[in-house]
Amino acid sequence: PIPRTPSTLGVTHFAKRGSDAEMRTEIDRIAELLETEIDPTDLPYGHYTTGLDFGPIRYEATAILADARTQHAADRSYDGCIQSGPIAPTTAPAPAA
């Protein structure tokens, strides 16, 4: 039997870290080679992406822009600082009678 694969398999190229303009230029160059457009879907989240489907394979090239990287770092900066557990009493227990 032939193993089943997911309906789409993705391969993503991430732009080399640089200024937003440099990374956009890299993705624009790839979009030109692929004859594709920049996908507006993730632009509000700081992802500058183009892609092309080859049957069940999707190739994407993405630049994660500076504001998105900064926001991600800020969100992750407190990871592990908040821990749930039993709540300690805030007042002293009543003395035993």
Side-chain angles (χ1 to χ4, degrees):
I2 298 173
R4 291 189 163 200
T5 60
S7 58
T8 302
L9 176 65
V11 176
T12 303
H13 163 79
F14 289 96
K16 182 178 177 185
R17 176 97 39 109
S19 70
D20 285 355
E22 291 167 334
M23 292 189 299
R24 280 190 185 106
T25 298
E26 180 179 345
I27 302 305
D28 288 340
R29 183 183 63 78
I30 293 169
E32 184 179 335
L33 292 170
L34 296 175
E35 298 179 353
T36 58
E37 301 292 324
I38 299 303
D39 183 353
T41 308
D42 289 331
L43 283 174
Y45 308 105
H47 293 185
Y48 194 76
T49 301
T50 192
L52 184 63
D53 294 318
F54 299 93
I57 308 297
R58 175 151 184 86
Y59 172 78
E60 288 187 336
T62 299
I64 300 176
L65 304 178
D67 285 348
R69 292 192 315 270
T70 300
Q71 183 63 54
H72 178 74
D75 292 343
R76 300 287 296 159
S77 68
Y78 58 87
D79 187 40
C81 294
I82 300 172
Q83 299 176 5
S84 61
I87 299 174
T90 56
T91 58

